Coordinates of all heavy atoms in Angstrom, one line a residue:
M1 N 0.9 -1.2 0.0 CA 0.0 0.0 0.0 C 0.9 1.2 0.0 O 1.8 1.4 0.8 CB -0.9 0.0 1.2 CG -1.6 1.2 1.5 SD -2.8 1.2 2.8 CE -1.8 0.9 4.2
Q2 N 0.6 2.1 -0.9 CA 1.4 3.4 -1.0 C 0.6 4.5 -0.4 O -0.6 4.7 -0.8 CB 1.7 3.6 -2.5 CG 2.5 4.9 -2.7 CD 2.7 5.2 -4.2 OE1 2.4 4.4 -5.1 NE2 3.3 6.4 -4.5
I3 N 1.2 5.3 0.5 CA 0.5 6.4 1.1 C 1.2 7.7 0.6 O 2.4 7.9 0.8 CB 0.6 6.3 2.6 CG1 -0.1 5.0 3.1 CG2 0.0 7.5 3.3 CD1 0.1 4.8 4.6
N4 N 0.4 8.5 0.0 CA 0.8 9.9 -0.4 C 0.3 10.9 0.7 O -1.0 11.0 0.8 CB 0.3 10.3 -1.8 CG 0.7 9.3 -2.8 OD1 1.9 8.9 -2.8 ND2 -0.1 9.0 -3.8
L5 N 1.1 11.5 1.4 CA 0.7 12.5 2.4 C 1.1 13.9 2.0 O 2.2 14.2 1.7 CB 1.5 12.1 3.7 CG 1.1 12.7 5.0 CD1 -0.4 12.5 5.3 CD2 1.9 12.2 6.1
T6 N 0.0 14.7 2.0 CA 0.2 16.1 1.6 C -0.3 17.0 2.7 O -1.3 16.7 3.4 CB -0.7 16.4 0.4 OG1 -0.4 15.5 -0.7 CG2 -0.4 17.8 -0.2
G7 N 0.4 18.1 3.0 CA 0.1 19.1 4.0 C -0.2 20.4 3.4 O 0.5 20.9 2.6
H8 N -1.4 21.0 3.8 CA -1.7 22.4 3.4 C -1.7 23.2 4.6 O -2.4 23.0 5.6 CB -3.1 22.4 2.8 CG -3.3 21.8 1.5 ND1 -3.4 22.5 0.3 CD2 -3.3 20.5 1.1 CE1 -3.5 21.7 -0.7 NE2 -3.4 20.4 -0.3
H9 N -0.8 24.2 4.7 CA -0.6 25.1 5.8 C -0.2 24.3 7.1 O -0.4 24.8 8.2 CB -1.9 25.9 6.1 CG -2.4 26.6 4.9 ND1 -1.8 27.6 4.3 CD2 -3.6 26.4 4.2 CE1 -2.5 28.0 3.3 NE2 -3.6 27.3 3.2
V10 N 0.4 23.2 6.9 CA 0.9 22.4 8.0 C 2.2 21.7 7.6 O 2.3 21.2 6.4 CB -0.1 21.4 8.6 CG1 -0.5 20.4 7.6 CG2 0.3 20.8 9.9
E11 N 3.2 21.6 8.5 CA 4.4 20.9 8.1 C 4.2 19.4 8.5 O 3.8 19.1 9.6 CB 5.6 21.5 8.9 CG 6.9 20.8 8.6 CD 8.0 21.3 9.5 OE1 7.9 22.4 10.1 OE2 9.0 20.7 9.6
I12 N 4.6 18.5 7.6 CA 4.4 17.1 7.8 C 5.7 16.7 8.5 O 6.8 16.5 7.9 CB 4.3 16.3 6.5 CG1 3.1 16.8 5.7 CG2 4.1 14.8 6.8 CD1 1.7 16.7 6.4
T13 N 5.6 16.5 9.9 CA 6.8 16.1 10.6 C 6.9 14.5 10.6 O 6.0 13.9 10.1 CB 6.6 16.5 12.1 OG1 5.4 15.9 12.6 CG2 6.5 18.0 12.2
D14 N 8.0 14.0 11.0 CA 8.2 12.6 11.0 C 7.2 11.9 11.9 O 6.7 10.8 11.6 CB 9.7 12.2 11.5 CG 10.7 12.6 10.4 OD1 10.3 12.7 9.2 OD2 11.9 12.7 10.7
S15 N 7.0 12.5 13.1 CA 6.0 11.9 14.0 C 4.6 11.8 13.4 O 3.9 10.9 13.6 CB 6.0 12.6 15.3 OG 5.6 13.9 15.2
L16 N 4.2 12.9 12.7 CA 2.9 12.9 12.0 C 2.8 11.9 10.9 O 1.8 11.1 10.8 CB 2.6 14.3 11.5 CG 1.2 14.8 11.3 CD1 0.4 14.6 12.5 CD2 1.2 16.2 10.8
R17 N 3.9 11.7 10.2 CA 3.9 10.7 9.1 C 3.9 9.3 9.7 O 3.1 8.5 9.2 CB 5.2 10.9 8.3 CG 5.3 9.9 7.1 CD 6.5 10.2 6.2 NE 6.5 11.5 5.6 CZ 5.8 11.8 4.5 NH1 5.0 10.8 3.9 NH2 5.8 12.9 3.9
D18 N 4.6 9.1 10.7 CA 4.6 7.8 11.4 C 3.2 7.4 11.9 O 2.8 6.3 11.8 CB 5.6 7.7 12.5 CG 7.1 7.7 12.0 OD1 7.3 7.4 10.8 OD2 8.0 8.0 12.8
Y19 N 2.6 8.4 12.5 CA 1.2 8.3 13.1 C 0.2 7.8 12.0 O -0.5 6.9 12.2 CB 0.8 9.5 13.8 CG -0.4 9.4 14.6 CD1 -0.4 8.8 15.9 CD2 -1.7 9.8 14.2 CE1 -1.5 8.6 16.7 CE2 -2.8 9.7 15.0 CZ -2.7 9.1 16.2 OH -3.8 9.0 17.0
V20 N 0.3 8.5 10.9 CA -0.6 8.2 9.7 C -0.3 6.8 9.2 O -1.2 6.0 9.0 CB -0.5 9.3 8.6 CG1 -1.2 8.8 7.3 CG2 -1.0 10.6 9.1
D21 N 1.0 6.5 9.0 CA 1.4 5.2 8.5 C 0.8 4.1 9.5 O 0.3 3.1 9.0 CB 2.9 5.0 8.4 CG 3.4 5.9 7.2 OD1 2.6 6.3 6.4 OD2 4.7 6.1 7.2
N22 N 1.0 4.2 10.8 CA 0.6 3.2 11.7 C -0.9 3.1 11.7 O -1.4 1.9 11.8 CB 1.0 3.6 13.1 CG 2.5 3.4 13.3 OD1 3.2 2.7 12.6 ND2 3.1 4.2 14.3
K23 N -1.7 4.2 11.6 CA -3.1 4.1 11.5 C -3.6 3.4 10.3 O -4.6 2.6 10.3 CB -3.7 5.5 11.6 CG -3.6 6.1 13.0 CD -4.4 5.3 14.0 CE -4.2 5.9 15.4 NZ -5.1 5.2 16.4
F24 N -3.0 3.6 9.1 CA -3.4 3.0 7.9 C -3.1 1.5 7.8 O -3.7 0.7 7.1 CB -2.9 3.7 6.7 CG -3.8 4.9 6.3 CD1 -3.5 6.2 6.8 CD2 -4.9 4.7 5.5 CE1 -4.3 7.2 6.4 CE2 -5.8 5.7 5.2 CZ -5.5 7.0 5.7
T25 N -2.1 1.0 8.6 CA -1.8 -0.4 8.7 C -3.0 -1.1 9.3 O -3.3 -2.3 9.0 CB -0.5 -0.7 9.4 OG1 -0.5 -0.1 10.7 CG2 0.7 -0.2 8.6
K26 N -3.7 -0.4 10.2 CA -4.9 -1.0 10.9 C -6.0 -1.3 9.8 O -6.6 -2.3 9.8 CB -5.5 0.0 11.9 CG -6.8 -0.4 12.5 CD -7.4 0.7 13.4 CE -8.8 0.4 13.7 NZ -9.5 1.6 14.3
L27 N -6.1 -0.4 8.9 CA -7.1 -0.6 7.8 C -6.7 -1.7 6.9 O -7.5 -2.5 6.4 CB -7.2 0.7 6.9 CG -8.0 1.9 7.4 CD1 -8.0 3.0 6.4 CD2 -9.4 1.5 7.8
E28 N -5.4 -1.9 6.7 CA -4.9 -2.9 5.8 C -5.2 -4.3 6.4 O -5.3 -5.3 5.7 CB -3.4 -2.7 5.5 CG -3.0 -3.3 4.2 CD -1.6 -2.9 3.8 OE1 -0.8 -2.6 4.7 OE2 -1.3 -2.9 2.6
R29 N -5.2 -4.4 7.7 CA -5.6 -5.7 8.4 C -7.0 -6.1 8.0 O -7.2 -7.3 7.9 CB -5.4 -5.6 9.9 CG -4.0 -5.8 10.3 CD -4.0 -5.9 11.9 NE -3.3 -4.7 12.3 CZ -3.6 -3.9 13.3 NH1 -4.7 -4.1 14.0 NH2 -2.9 -2.8 13.6
H30 N -7.9 -5.2 7.8 CA -9.3 -5.6 7.5 C -9.5 -5.9 6.0 O -10.3 -6.7 5.7 CB -10.2 -4.4 7.9 CG -10.4 -4.3 9.4 ND1 -11.2 -3.3 9.9 CD2 -9.9 -5.0 10.4 CE1 -11.2 -3.4 11.2 NE2 -10.4 -4.5 11.5
F31 N -8.7 -5.2 5.2 CA -8.9 -5.4 3.8 C -7.6 -5.2 3.1 O -7.1 -4.0 3.1 CB -10.0 -4.4 3.2 CG -10.4 -4.6 1.8 CD1 -11.2 -5.8 1.6 CD2 -10.2 -3.7 0.8 CE1 -11.6 -6.0 0.3 CE2 -10.6 -4.0 -0.5 CZ -11.3 -5.1 -0.7
D32 N -7.0 -6.2 2.5 CA -5.6 -6.1 2.0 C -5.6 -5.7 0.5 O -4.5 -5.7 0.0 CB -4.9 -7.4 2.2 CG -5.6 -8.6 1.6 OD1 -6.7 -8.5 1.2 OD2 -5.0 -9.7 1.6
H33 N -6.7 -5.3 -0.1 CA -6.7 -4.9 -1.5 C -6.6 -3.4 -1.6 O -7.2 -2.8 -2.6 CB -7.9 -5.5 -2.2 CG -7.9 -7.0 -2.3 ND1 -6.9 -7.7 -3.0 CD2 -8.7 -7.9 -1.7 CE1 -7.2 -9.0 -2.9 NE2 -8.2 -9.1 -2.1
I34 N -6.0 -2.7 -0.7 CA -5.9 -1.2 -0.8 C -4.6 -0.9 -1.6 O -3.5 -1.3 -1.2 CB -5.8 -0.6 0.6 CG1 -7.0 -0.9 1.5 CG2 -5.6 0.9 0.5 CD1 -6.9 -0.5 2.9
N35 N -4.8 -0.3 -2.8 CA -3.7 -0.1 -3.7 C -3.0 1.2 -3.3 O -1.8 1.2 -3.3 CB -4.2 0.0 -5.1 CG -4.9 -1.3 -5.6 OD1 -4.6 -2.3 -5.1 ND2 -5.9 -1.1 -6.4
N36 N -3.7 2.3 -3.2 CA -3.1 3.6 -3.1 C -4.0 4.4 -2.1 O -5.2 4.3 -2.1 CB -3.1 4.2 -4.5 CG -2.3 5.5 -4.5 OD1 -1.9 6.0 -3.5 ND2 -2.0 5.9 -5.7
V37 N -3.3 5.3 -1.3 CA -4.0 6.1 -0.4 C -3.4 7.5 -0.5 O -2.2 7.7 -0.6 CB -3.7 5.7 1.1 CG1 -4.4 6.6 2.1 CG2 -4.2 4.3 1.3
H38 N -4.4 8.5 -0.6 CA -3.9 9.9 -0.7 C -4.5 10.6 0.5 O -5.7 10.7 0.6 CB -4.4 10.6 -2.0 CG -3.8 11.9 -2.2 ND1 -2.5 12.1 -2.7 CD2 -4.3 13.2 -1.9 CE1 -2.3 13.4 -2.7 NE2 -3.4 14.1 -2.2
V39 N -3.7 11.1 1.4 CA -4.1 11.8 2.6 C -3.7 13.3 2.5 O -2.6 13.6 2.2 CB -3.4 11.2 3.9 CG1 -3.9 11.9 5.1 CG2 -3.7 9.7 3.9
I40 N -4.7 14.1 2.8 CA -4.4 15.6 2.9 C -4.7 16.1 4.3 O -5.8 15.9 4.8 CB -5.3 16.3 1.9 CG1 -5.0 15.9 0.4 CG2 -5.0 17.8 2.0 CD1 -5.9 16.4 -0.6
L41 N -3.7 16.7 4.9 CA -3.8 17.3 6.2 C -3.8 18.8 6.0 O -3.0 19.4 5.3 CB -2.7 16.9 7.1 CG -2.5 15.4 7.3 CD1 -1.3 15.2 8.2 CD2 -3.7 14.7 7.9
N42 N -4.8 19.5 6.6 CA -5.1 20.9 6.3 C -5.4 21.6 7.6 O -6.1 21.1 8.5 CB -6.3 21.0 5.3 CG -6.3 22.4 4.7 OD1 -5.6 23.3 5.1 ND2 -7.3 22.5 3.8
V43 N -4.8 22.8 7.7 CA -5.1 23.7 8.9 C -5.8 24.9 8.4 O -5.2 25.7 7.6 CB -3.8 24.0 9.7 CG1 -4.1 24.9 10.8 CG2 -3.2 22.7 10.2
E44 N -7.0 25.2 8.9 CA -7.7 26.4 8.6 C -8.1 27.1 9.9 O -9.0 26.6 10.6 CB -9.0 26.1 7.8 CG -8.7 25.5 6.5 CD -10.0 25.0 5.8 OE1 -11.1 25.1 6.4 OE2 -9.9 24.5 4.7
K45 N -7.4 28.2 10.3 CA -7.6 28.9 11.6 C -7.5 27.9 12.7 O -6.5 27.4 13.0 CB -8.9 29.7 11.5 CG -9.0 30.8 10.5 CD -10.2 31.6 10.6 CE -10.1 32.7 9.5 NZ -11.3 33.4 9.4
L46 N -8.7 27.6 13.4 CA -8.6 26.7 14.6 C -8.9 25.3 14.2 O -8.8 24.4 15.1 CB -9.6 27.2 15.6 CG -9.3 28.6 16.2 CD1 -10.3 29.0 17.2 CD2 -7.9 28.6 16.9
N47 N -9.4 25.0 13.0 CA -9.8 23.7 12.6 C -8.6 22.9 12.0 O -7.9 23.4 11.1 CB -10.9 23.7 11.6 CG -12.3 24.0 12.2 OD1 -12.4 23.9 13.4 ND2 -13.2 24.5 11.5
Q48 N -8.5 21.7 12.4 CA -7.5 20.7 11.8 C -8.3 19.8 11.0 O -9.2 19.1 11.5 CB -6.7 20.0 13.0 CG -6.2 20.9 14.1 CD -4.9 21.6 13.7 OE1 -4.1 21.1 13.0 NE2 -4.8 22.8 14.2
K49 N -8.0 19.7 9.7 CA -8.8 18.8 8.9 C -7.9 17.7 8.2 O -6.8 18.0 7.8 CB -9.4 19.7 7.7 CG -10.3 19.0 6.8 CD -10.9 20.0 5.8 CE -11.9 19.3 4.9 NZ -12.4 20.3 3.9
A50 N -8.5 16.5 8.2 CA -7.8 15.4 7.6 C -8.8 14.8 6.6 O -9.9 14.5 7.0 CB -7.4 14.4 8.7
E51 N -8.3 14.5 5.4 CA -9.2 13.8 4.4 C -8.3 12.8 3.7 O -7.1 13.0 3.6 CB -9.8 14.8 3.5 CG -8.9 15.7 2.7 CD -9.7 16.7 1.9 OE1 -10.5 17.5 2.5 OE2 -9.5 16.7 0.7
A52 N -9.0 11.8 3.2 CA -8.2 10.7 2.5 C -9.1 10.0 1.5 O -10.3 9.9 1.6 CB -7.8 9.6 3.5
T53 N -8.4 9.6 0.4 CA -9.1 8.9 -0.7 C -8.3 7.5 -0.7 O -7.1 7.5 -0.9 CB -9.0 9.6 -2.0 OG1 -9.5 10.9 -1.9 CG2 -9.7 8.9 -3.1
L54 N -9.1 6.4 -0.6 CA -8.5 5.1 -0.7 C -8.9 4.5 -2.1 O -10.1 4.5 -2.4 CB -9.0 4.2 0.4 CG -8.3 4.1 1.7 CD1 -8.4 5.4 2.4 CD2 -8.9 3.0 2.5
H55 N -7.9 4.0 -2.8 CA -8.2 3.3 -4.1 C -8.1 1.8 -3.8 O -7.1 1.3 -3.6 CB -7.2 3.7 -5.1 CG -7.1 5.2 -5.4 ND1 -8.1 5.8 -6.2 CD2 -6.4 6.2 -5.0 CE1 -7.8 7.1 -6.3 NE2 -6.8 7.3 -5.5
L56 N -9.3 1.2 -3.7 CA -9.4 -0.2 -3.4 C -9.5 -0.9 -4.7 O -9.7 -0.4 -5.8 CB -10.7 -0.4 -2.6 CG -10.8 0.3 -1.3 CD1 -12.2 0.1 -0.7 CD2 -9.7 0.0 -0.3
H57 N -9.5 -2.2 -4.6 CA -9.7 -3.1 -5.8 C -11.1 -3.0 -6.3 O -12.0 -3.5 -5.6 CB -9.3 -4.5 -5.5 CG -9.3 -5.4 -6.7 ND1 -8.4 -5.3 -7.7 CD2 -10.2 -6.5 -7.0 CE1 -8.7 -6.3 -8.6 NE2 -9.8 -6.9 -8.2
G58 N -11.4 -2.2 -7.3 CA -12.7 -2.1 -7.9 C -13.6 -0.9 -7.3 O -14.8 -0.8 -7.6
A59 N -13.0 -0.1 -6.4 CA -13.8 1.0 -5.8 C -12.9 2.1 -5.3 O -11.6 1.9 -5.3 CB -14.6 0.5 -4.7
E60 N -13.5 3.2 -4.9 CA -12.8 4.3 -4.3 C -13.5 4.8 -3.1 O -14.8 4.9 -3.2 CB -12.6 5.4 -5.4 CG -11.6 6.5 -5.0 CD -11.4 7.4 -6.2 OE1 -10.6 7.1 -7.1 OE2 -12.0 8.5 -6.2
V61 N -12.9 5.0 -2.0 CA -13.5 5.4 -0.7 C -12.9 6.7 -0.3 O -11.7 6.9 -0.4 CB -13.3 4.3 0.4 CG1 -13.8 4.8 1.7 CG2 -13.9 3.0 0.0
F62 N -13.8 7.7 0.1 CA -13.4 9.0 0.5 C -14.0 9.3 1.9 O -15.1 9.0 2.1 CB -13.8 10.1 -0.5 CG -13.5 11.5 -0.1 CD1 -12.2 12.0 -0.2 CD2 -14.4 12.3 0.5 CE1 -11.9 13.2 0.2 CE2 -14.1 13.5 0.9 CZ -12.9 14.0 0.8
A63 N -13.2 10.0 2.7 CA -13.7 10.4 4.0 C -13.0 11.7 4.4 O -11.8 11.9 4.0 CB -13.6 9.3 5.1
T64 N -13.6 12.5 5.3 CA -13.0 13.7 5.8 C -13.4 13.9 7.3 O -14.4 13.4 7.7 CB -13.4 14.9 5.0 OG1 -12.7 16.1 5.5 CG2 -14.9 15.1 5.0
S65 N -12.5 14.5 8.0 CA -12.8 14.7 9.4 C -12.2 16.1 9.9 O -11.1 16.4 9.4 CB -12.1 13.6 10.2 OG -12.2 13.9 11.6
E66 N -12.9 16.8 10.7 CA -12.4 18.1 11.3 C -12.4 18.1 12.8 O -13.5 17.7 13.4 CB -13.3 19.2 10.8 CG -12.8 19.8 9.5 CD -13.5 21.1 9.1 OE1 -13.6 22.0 10.0 OE2 -14.1 21.2 8.0
R67 N -11.3 18.4 13.4 CA -11.3 18.5 14.9 C -10.4 19.6 15.3 O -9.7 20.3 14.4 CB -10.7 17.2 15.4 CG -11.5 15.9 15.2 CD -12.7 16.0 16.3 NE -13.5 14.8 16.3 CZ -14.6 14.6 15.5 NH1 -15.0 15.6 14.7 NH2 -15.2 13.5 15.6
N68 N -10.3 19.9 16.6 CA -9.4 20.9 17.1 C -7.9 20.4 17.1 O -7.0 21.2 17.1 CB -9.8 21.4 18.5 CG -11.1 22.1 18.5 OD1 -11.5 22.7 17.4 ND2 -11.8 22.1 19.6
D69 N -7.7 19.1 17.2 CA -6.4 18.5 17.2 C -6.2 17.6 16.0 O -7.1 16.9 15.6 CB -6.3 17.7 18.5 CG -5.0 16.9 18.6 OD1 -3.9 17.6 18.4 OD2 -5.0 15.7 18.9
M70 N -5.0 17.7 15.4 CA -4.7 17.0 14.1 C -4.8 15.5 14.4 O -5.3 14.7 13.6 CB -3.4 17.4 13.5 CG -3.1 16.7 12.2 SD -4.3 17.0 10.9 CE -3.9 18.6 10.4
Y71 N -4.2 15.0 15.5 CA -4.2 13.6 15.8 C -5.6 13.0 16.0 O -6.0 11.9 15.6 CB -3.3 13.3 17.0 CG -1.9 13.5 16.7 CD1 -1.2 14.7 17.1 CD2 -1.1 12.6 16.1 CE1 0.1 14.9 16.8 CE2 0.2 12.8 15.8 CZ 0.8 14.0 16.2 OH 2.2 14.2 15.9
A72 N -6.5 13.8 16.7 CA -7.9 13.4 16.8 C -8.6 13.4 15.5 O -9.4 12.5 15.2 CB -8.6 14.4 17.8
A73 N -8.3 14.3 14.6 CA -8.9 14.3 13.3 C -8.5 13.1 12.5 O -9.3 12.5 11.8 CB -8.5 15.6 12.5
I74 N -7.2 12.7 12.6 CA -6.7 11.5 11.9 C -7.4 10.2 12.5 O -7.8 9.4 11.8 CB -5.2 11.4 12.0 CG1 -4.5 12.5 11.3 CG2 -4.7 10.0 11.5 CD1 -3.0 12.7 11.5
D75 N -7.5 10.2 13.8 CA -8.2 9.0 14.5 C -9.7 8.9 14.0 O -10.1 7.8 13.6 CB -8.2 9.2 16.0 CG -6.9 9.0 16.6 OD1 -6.0 8.4 15.9 OD2 -6.7 9.4 17.8
N76 N -10.4 10.0 13.9 CA -11.8 10.0 13.4 C -11.8 9.6 12.0 O -12.7 8.9 11.5 CB -12.4 11.4 13.7 CG -13.9 11.4 13.4 OD1 -14.6 10.4 13.8 ND2 -14.4 12.5 12.9
L77 N -10.9 10.1 11.2 CA -10.8 9.8 9.8 C -10.6 8.3 9.6 O -11.3 7.7 8.8 CB -9.7 10.5 9.1 CG -9.4 10.2 7.6 CD1 -10.5 10.8 6.8 CD2 -8.0 10.7 7.2
I78 N -9.7 7.7 10.3 CA -9.5 6.2 10.2 C -10.7 5.5 10.6 O -11.1 4.5 10.0 CB -8.3 5.8 11.1 CG1 -7.0 6.5 10.6 CG2 -8.2 4.3 11.2 CD1 -6.6 6.0 9.2
D79 N -11.5 5.9 11.6 CA -12.7 5.2 12.0 C -13.7 5.2 10.9 O -14.4 4.2 10.6 CB -13.3 5.9 13.3 CG -12.5 5.6 14.5 OD1 -11.6 4.7 14.5 OD2 -12.6 6.3 15.5
K80 N -13.9 6.4 10.3 CA -14.8 6.5 9.1 C -14.4 5.6 8.0 O -15.2 4.9 7.4 CB -14.9 8.0 8.7 CG -15.6 8.9 9.6 CD -15.6 10.3 9.0 CE -16.4 11.3 9.9 NZ -16.5 12.6 9.3
L81 N -13.1 5.7 7.6 CA -12.6 4.8 6.5 C -12.8 3.3 6.9 O -13.1 2.5 6.0 CB -11.2 5.2 6.2 CG -10.9 6.5 5.6 CD1 -9.4 6.8 5.6 CD2 -11.5 6.6 4.2
D82 N -12.5 3.0 8.1 CA -12.6 1.6 8.5 C -14.0 1.1 8.3 O -14.2 0.0 7.7 CB -12.3 1.5 10.0 CG -11.9 0.1 10.4 OD1 -11.4 -0.7 9.6 OD2 -12.1 -0.2 11.6
R83 N -15.0 1.8 8.7 CA -16.4 1.4 8.5 C -16.7 1.3 7.0 O -17.4 0.3 6.6 CB -17.4 2.4 9.1 CG -17.5 2.4 10.6 CD -18.6 3.1 11.2 NE -18.5 4.6 10.9 CZ -17.9 5.5 11.7 NH1 -17.4 5.1 12.8 NH2 -17.9 6.7 11.4
Q84 N -16.3 2.2 6.2 CA -16.5 2.1 4.7 C -15.8 1.0 4.1 O -16.4 0.3 3.2 CB -16.1 3.4 4.0 CG -17.0 4.6 4.4 CD -16.6 5.9 3.6 OE1 -16.2 5.8 2.5 NE2 -16.6 7.0 4.3
V85 N -14.6 0.7 4.5 CA -13.8 -0.4 4.0 C -14.5 -1.8 4.3 O -14.6 -2.7 3.5 CB -12.3 -0.4 4.4 CG1 -11.6 -1.7 4.2 CG2 -11.6 0.8 3.8
I86 N -14.9 -1.9 5.6 CA -15.6 -3.1 6.0 C -16.9 -3.3 5.2 O -17.2 -4.4 4.7 CB -15.9 -3.1 7.5 CG1 -14.6 -3.3 8.3 CG2 -16.9 -4.2 7.9 CD1 -14.7 -3.0 9.7
K87 N -17.7 -2.2 5.0 CA -18.9 -2.3 4.2 C -18.6 -2.7 2.7 O -19.3 -3.6 2.2 CB -19.6 -0.9 4.2 CG -21.0 -0.9 3.7 CD -21.6 0.5 3.7 CE -21.8 1.0 5.1 NZ -22.5 2.2 5.1
H88 N -17.5 -2.2 2.2 CA -17.1 -2.5 0.8 C -16.7 -4.0 0.7 O -17.0 -4.7 -0.2 CB -15.9 -1.7 0.3 CG -15.4 -2.1 -1.0 ND1 -16.0 -1.9 -2.2 CD2 -14.2 -2.7 -1.3 CE1 -15.3 -2.4 -3.2 NE2 -14.2 -2.9 -2.7
K89 N -15.9 -4.5 1.8 CA -15.5 -5.8 1.8 C -16.7 -6.8 1.9 O -16.7 -7.8 1.2 CB -14.6 -6.0 3.0 CG -14.0 -7.4 3.1 CD -13.1 -7.5 4.3 CE -12.6 -8.9 4.5 NZ -11.8 -9.0 5.7
E90 N -17.7 -6.5 2.7 CA -18.9 -7.3 2.8 C -19.6 -7.3 1.4 O -20.1 -8.4 1.0 CB -19.8 -6.8 3.9 CG -19.3 -7.0 5.2 CD -20.1 -6.3 6.3 OE1 -21.0 -5.5 6.0 OE2 -19.8 -6.5 7.5
K91 N -19.7 -6.2 0.7 CA -20.4 -6.2 -0.6 C -19.6 -7.0 -1.6 O -20.3 -7.7 -2.4 CB -20.4 -4.7 -1.0 CG -21.4 -4.5 -2.2 CD -21.5 -3.2 -2.8 CE -21.0 -2.0 -2.1 NZ -21.2 -0.7 -2.9
V92 N -18.3 -6.9 -1.6 CA -17.5 -7.7 -2.5 C -17.6 -9.2 -2.2 O -17.7 -10.0 -3.2 CB -16.0 -7.3 -2.5 CG1 -15.1 -8.3 -3.2 CG2 -15.9 -5.9 -3.1
S93 N -17.7 -9.6 -1.0 CA -17.7 -11.0 -0.6 C -19.1 -11.7 -0.9 O -19.1 -12.9 -1.1 CB -17.3 -11.2 0.9 OG -18.3 -10.6 1.7
R94 N -20.1 -10.9 -1.0 CA -21.4 -11.4 -1.4 C -21.5 -11.8 -2.8 O -22.3 -12.7 -3.2 CB -22.5 -10.3 -1.1 CG -22.9 -10.3 0.3 CD -24.2 -9.4 0.5 NE -23.8 -8.4 1.5 CZ -24.0 -7.1 1.4 NH1 -24.6 -6.7 0.3 NH2 -23.7 -6.3 2.3
H95 N -20.7 -11.2 -3.7 CA -20.7 -11.6 -5.1 C -19.8 -12.7 -5.5 O -18.9 -13.1 -5.0 CB -20.4 -10.3 -6.0 CG -21.4 -9.2 -5.8 ND1 -22.7 -9.3 -6.3 CD2 -21.4 -8.1 -5.1 CE1 -23.3 -8.2 -6.0 NE2 -22.6 -7.4 -5.3

């Protein structure tokens, strides 16, 4: 799985990159057909925004999250993506 991490108005530190990498390995445990991930971290005044697009085998999943803390926004983003990936996996396994 290839992770492209982009920052808008925020510096992508090593700890932030490691945090994102570790969180996305959790998703890969549920569904191993994740080809490519594009993550955008954005800071707008007091809001920390994280959004991601996952390119799965035969589908694309998108989620976004806004919090006061960037790490909390990433956690919430992973939870949303996790639910969508599990839903996609169930749909694929029915066919």
Side-chain angles (χ1 to χ4, degrees):
M1 171 175 63
Q2 180 185 354
I3 299 176
N4 299 322
L5 189 56
T6 307
H8 290 255
H9 309 293
V10 65
E11 182 183 344
I12 305 297
T13 61
D14 288 340
S15 63
L16 203 53
R17 181 175 297 281
D18 290 342
Y19 193 76
V20 169
D21 288 345
N22 290 335
K23 289 295 179 175
F24 275 95
T25 54
K26 173 189 167 190
L27 283 181
E28 206 169 26
R29 274 187 249 134
H30 287 178
F31 191 66
D32 56 353
H33 296 293
I34 300 173
N35 302 330
N36 192 345
V37 178
H38 188 81
V39 181
I40 299 173
L41 305 179
N42 195 353
V43 176
E44 298 172 357
K45 295 184 181 175
L46 297 176
N47 285 337
Q48 313 279 324
K49 185 175 179 183
E51 58 185 56
T53 305
L54 270 66
H55 300 280
L56 305 174
H57 185 68
E60 196 171 276
V61 174
F62 175 81
T64 184
S65 171
E66 271 188 52
R67 293 284 186 268
N68 291 338
D69 176 47
M70 184 58 80
Y71 291 98
I74 293 169
D75 287 343
N76 190 37
L77 175 73
I78 294 295
D79 291 341
K80 288 180 178 184
L81 289 171
D82 198 31
R83 285 193 297 269
Q84 290 183 38
V85 165
I86 290 171
K87 194 181 292 186
H88 173 73
K89 182 179 176 182
E90 289 170 353
K91 192 180 352 177
V92 168
S93 65
R94 278 190 235 130
H95 295 288

